[in-house]
Amino acid sequence: MATADRTRTFMKDVKRVIIKLDVSSSQLLVTDSDFENPNFRERLCETVESLLDLKVVPIFNENDAISTRKAPYEDSSGIFWDNDSLAGLLAIELKADLLVLLSDVDGLYSGPPSEPGSKIIHTYIKDKHYSGITFGDKSRVGRGGMTAKVKAAFVASNSGTPVVITSGFASQSIVRVLQGEKIGTLFHKDASLWEPSKDVSAREMAVAARECSRRLQNLSSDERKKILLDIADALEQNEDLIRTENEADVSAAQDAGYQKSLVDRLTLKPEKIASLAKSIRTLANMEDPINQILKRTEVAEDLVLEKTSCPLGVLLIVFESRPDALVQIASLAVRSGNGLLLKGGKEAMRSNTVLHKVITGAIPDNVGQKLIGLVTSRDEIADLLKLDDVIDLVIPRGSNKLVSQIKASTKIPVLGHADGICHVYIDKSADMNMAKRIVMDAKTDYPAACNAMETLLVHKDLIKAPGLDDILLSLKTEGVAIYGGPVAHEVLCIPKADSFHHEYSSMACTIEFVDDVQSAINHIHRYGSAHTDCIITTDDKVAETFLRQVDSAAVFHNASTRFSDGARFGLGAEVGISTGRIHARGPVGVEGLLTTRWIMRGSGQVVNGDKNVAYTHKNLPLQ
């Protein structure tokens, strides 16, 4: 397609989008010679301002018909020579607050984006990046490719207009730039002044955490135990300071209009510090999990093989709200001998900072405070997820969206769950008083928790049971909004649920009637998230069917789903709840942060084609 034809096609596409949005537009055609005329440039600014006042979007393009250059868009002898340079020129003339250049890639990379070693450059600094960048082929769309965009961006930014190069294919790119998200590549005339002189990169933090973790593993069990006890003491001694910083975060979150469920997770209630300190002491007094011999085998005479427990290495925890998660995860990392990087949400910045300072202050110098790193630089989650060579496991703690994005964006193994759609099934033989206690606790004890009940399944024989009416009335009295599946919507005359896949994380739930226990199991398998599900029944045979067949990380009989928790399971604490089927599953404590290694002790044996080896493979007692 010819250059002019391509441009006309693009302009038609833009106009179609603008028309759909019911926005007026106006195309302005310009040439090089126009910009040599001071009067034209003055009228240009006035025209654009007038159009914007009239809510008309001005669209600029080169007037090919009267262009003075020999090869428009390719001949670089003029004032501008392609759409990128025209955009940069207009930004300067109009004194724009920001110029956004859209590309077919996420931004400027250190090399061709398709090459594995290329990394996105979030802030362009000429002295640092100019000589080290290798440009690939021209863009698949547009004309000049990244080389032209960088040149235009550099000229515009040096003249006072900040520029961001970002993807034109990613959803909401321009909106995200305007909201201040760190996407694409920023060009600014003062960028060199922003270069942090002493900031430690996330990679350096991960490497340092691994070194510290190896020193931690070399300590005796009692020495590691003392570190945990010191951390518990430090939390209690600094409770007032921690509460003050947390209250500041909560107040800011409320002023910003955050959802109540997020504010609830953010809040450190008065008894929380004492509870966290208690769980750390419980963890400290547990059997040392590191270097435990799990199995001993005599491979051959005087050749003994041991399977032992050892740390995973370096963990990355990405979490929203939940400053208590920082404490639990840090204590579990110390107990399991792992290094740790923490990336918390901005809404809990003050809480996370003070907790990190208190905890690392209790770590002795012979281990090093860099054992636990708090990432507070401008490094975004996407940058951290690329460190698969120095980070061994990612554990996300936060919204469904956060967890799903992380799982889809990294080569590092991810441990966690995206949804907490937990069910309680009331069988026809259930003790309805017991059912009421369990349902009320599962829904109202902590609605924002991932182990809270989201769907109540009820045997169809209980539709007219007085006990069910009592349960529903109690839920409503406590302020729980109840939505119905197709059957419950008709029978109970309640609002219809939008989806059985919805996780409310608030004072709301869905109710539906099922034919029997098998129907309940099928419903859970179809709509559940394999987190925690419960049956309430006095029929042991029905209970066993449910317990055997429901394929969830935790399955309960006559007990609230809220028991699905590391501390309540006796794990001391948890880094999260995993619904995956590889490695740890359910509440993940110390054991979930360990892997194994094999140690062989011989007396000079060689394989030599197995000619002189008499294998015995005898199990030996653990020592």
Side-chain angles (χ1 to χ4, degrees):
M1 183 182 290
T3 296
D5 292 338
R6 277 206 308 263
T7 301
R8 283 191 288 269
T9 300
F10 172 75
M11 295 304 302
K12 288 178 182 177
D13 290 340
V14 170
K15 288 179 180 177
R16 278 197 291 269
V17 172
I18 289 175
I19 290 171
K20 284 184 179 180
L21 295 175
D22 195 25
V23 176
S24 299
S25 64
S26 175
Q27 181 171 225
L28 305 176
L29 299 178
V30 296
T31 66
D32 278 38
S33 59
D34 290 332
F35 288 91
E36 296 174 348
N37 185 337
N39 293 329
F40 168 83
R41 292 160 60 186
E42 183 177 342
R43 291 196 303 273
L44 174 69
C45 295
E46 294 174 353
T47 300
V48 171
E49 290 175 1
S50 298
L51 289 171
L52 293 176
D53 287 340
L54 295 171
K55 300 189 184 305
V56 176
V57 176
I59 300 174
F60 285 87
N61 198 23
E62 182 172 8
N63 192 338
D64 298 348
I66 59 173
S67 175
T68 58
R69 287 187 290 113
K70 297 178 181 179
Y73 305 104
E74 295 179 5
D75 174 14
S76 61
S77 62
I79 296 175
F80 65 87
W81 50 91
D82 55 24
N83 287 334
D84 296 317
S85 57
L86 173 58
L89 178 60
L90 288 168
I92 296 170
E93 289 294 332
L94 299 172
K95 296 180 173 58
D97 294 325
L98 176 69
L99 170 63
V100 180
L101 297 175
L102 298 179
S103 176
D104 56 346
V105 292
D106 293 333
L108 175 63
Y109 283 74
S110 57
S114 58
E115 293 184 1
S118 297
K119 297 180 180 179
I120 193 166
I121 297 169
H122 285 299
T123 303
Y124 179 85
I125 300 172
K126 184 178 180 182
D127 292 342
K128 178 178 179 181
H129 297 121
Y130 180 77
S131 60
I133 296 174
T134 303
F135 291 101
D137 296 332
K138 288 187 176 182
S139 171
R140 297 189 301 273
V141 294
R143 296 178 175 80
M146 188 57 73
T147 307
K149 286 178 172 47
V150 169
K151 185 172 182 179
F154 183 73
V155 171
S157 62
N158 274 355
S159 299
T161 297
V163 183
V164 173
I165 299 176
T166 189
S167 172
F169 291 96
S171 175
Q172 300 286 306
S173 287
I174 295 177
V175 173
R176 292 173 65 193
V177 169
L178 294 177
Q179 289 176 340
E181 289 191 39
K182 184 183 172 185
I183 63 170
T185 302
L186 171 67
F187 290 72
H188 193 286
K189 64 178 182 179
D190 296 328
S192 60
L193 303 178
W194 302 344
E195 181 82 301
S197 58
K198 297 181 180 180
D199 250 9
V200 179
S201 71
R203 175 177 295 277
E204 291 171 322
M205 291 174 69
V207 172
R210 190 181 300 277
E211 290 300 317
C212 291
S213 73
R214 288 170 177 159
R215 293 198 288 270
L216 176 66
Q217 295 167 42
N218 287 331
L219 298 183
S220 68
S221 177
D222 287 341
E223 288 174 315
R224 286 195 294 270
K225 175 180 177 178
K226 185 178 184 303
I227 294 175
L228 287 171
L229 295 176
D230 289 344
I231 290 174
D233 291 342
L235 288 172
E236 291 179 333
Q237 292 163 6
N238 290 276
E239 180 175 358
D240 290 343
L241 175 60
I242 294 168
R243 290 281 307 284
T244 298
E245 295 298 289
N246 180 246
E247 287 168 3
D249 280 335
V250 171
S251 178
Q254 291 171 333
D255 292 342
Y258 282 106
Q259 293 181 352
K260 185 178 182 301
S261 59
L262 185 144
V263 175
D264 287 343
R265 290 193 292 268
L266 175 61
T267 305
L268 290 175
K269 296 178 181 178
E271 67 278 7
K272 193 63 180 181
I273 299 298
S275 175
L276 289 169
K278 180 181 178 181
S279 69
I280 294 173
R281 292 189 178 103
T282 300
L283 196 61
N285 289 314
M286 293 171 61
E287 182 181 5
D288 191 345
I290 306 174
N291 299 321
Q292 293 292 316
I293 299 175
L294 308 176
K295 183 179 181 180
R296 295 184 75 241
T297 304
E298 180 190 83
V299 177
E301 185 177 359
D302 293 332
L303 187 62
V304 176
L305 181 65
E306 296 175 347
K307 182 180 182 181
T308 64
S309 60
C310 68
L312 286 168
V314 176
L315 315 175
L316 167 62
I317 315 298
V318 181
F319 58 104
E320 297 173 331
S321 305
R322 304 182 189 275
D324 58 316
L326 184 152
V327 179
Q328 294 185 47
I329 293 163
S331 59
L332 284 167
V334 172
R335 196 68 177 113
S336 59
N338 285 291
L340 179 63
L341 288 190
L342 296 158
K343 176 63 175 175
K346 61 182 180 181
E347 69 282 349
M349 182 179 297
R350 295 179 66 164
S351 303
N352 292 338
T353 300
V354 70
L355 286 169
H356 176 259
K357 183 177 181 180
V358 169
I359 291 170
T360 54
I363 297 175
D365 292 340
N366 61 338
V367 172
Q369 295 185 359
K370 293 180 180 179
L371 174 73
I372 301 172
L374 182 64
V375 182
T376 57
S377 67
R378 291 194 295 271
D379 286 303
E380 290 297 316
I381 294 174
D383 300 315
L384 295 168
L385 296 179
K386 294 175 182 177
L387 302 178
D388 54 287
D389 58 329
V390 289
I391 295 175
D392 301 290
L393 181 70
V394 180
I395 304 176
R397 294 285 301 270
S399 66
N400 302 349
K401 181 180 179 182
L402 171 72
V403 179
S404 298
Q405 286 179 340
I406 287 176
K407 286 185 173 182
S409 306
T410 186
K411 297 178 183 178
I412 307 170
V414 179
L415 187 150
H417 67 279
D419 297 296
I421 304 175
C422 302
H423 298 75
V424 173
Y425 166 57
I426 304 177
D427 188 55
K428 63 180 179 179
S429 68
D431 178 326
M432 296 305 283
N433 289 325
M434 177 193 294
K436 177 181 175 181
R437 291 196 307 273
I438 291 173
V439 168
M440 294 301 295
D441 183 81
K443 182 67 262 181
T444 67
D445 181 64
Y446 188 7
C450 61
N451 57 17
M453 181 192 78
E454 303 291 12
T455 300
L456 175 62
L457 300 176
V458 182
H459 195 287
K460 65 180 181 180
D461 289 359
L462 299 176
I463 287 177
K464 297 183 179 180
L468 178 60
D469 291 338
D470 188 26
I471 291 173
L472 297 180
L473 178 60
S474 296
L475 286 170
K476 291 177 181 177
T477 301
E478 288 294 315
V480 178
I482 303 175
Y483 300 90
V487 178
H489 165 66
E490 293 292 336
V491 172
L492 301 176
C493 297
I494 56 178
K496 190 173 183 179
D498 293 333
S499 170
F500 283 126
H501 290 289
H502 184 62
E503 181 180 3
Y504 294 99
S505 297
S506 63
M507 290 287 274
C509 70
T510 299
I511 180 174
E512 182 60 313
F513 294 104
V514 293
D515 292 339
D516 51 27
V517 66
Q518 196 60 54
S519 297
I521 293 169
N522 293 340
H523 180 103
I524 291 169
H525 287 167
R526 181 175 181 182
Y527 299 110
S529 59
H531 191 294
T532 303
D533 300 291
C534 158
I535 182 173
I536 306 172
T537 183
T538 58
D539 187 326
D540 290 341
K541 184 176 180 181
V542 170
E544 286 305 312
T545 297
F546 188 91
L547 295 174
R548 285 198 311 271
Q549 293 189 24
V550 172
D551 188 18
S552 296
V555 190
F556 298 165
H557 174 208
N558 291 346
S560 170
T561 56
R562 289 281 293 125
F563 281 106
S564 187
D565 174 84
R568 296 186 180 102
F569 275 17
L571 305 180
E574 69 177 35
V575 295
I577 294 179
S578 171
T579 55
R581 287 167 172 78
I582 298 177
H583 195 57
R585 194 177 186 197
V588 179
V590 172
E591 290 184 3
L593 302 181
L594 300 173
T595 185
T596 57
R597 59 177 179 165
W598 299 90
I599 296 175
M600 180 172 281
R601 305 177 193 279
S603 53
Q605 292 88 342
V606 295
V607 172
N608 192 26
D610 293 329
K611 295 176 183 177
N612 299 311
V613 181
Y615 291 103
T616 57
H617 293 144
K618 183 192 303 182
N619 288 331
L620 300 176
L622 301 180
Q623 293 180 352

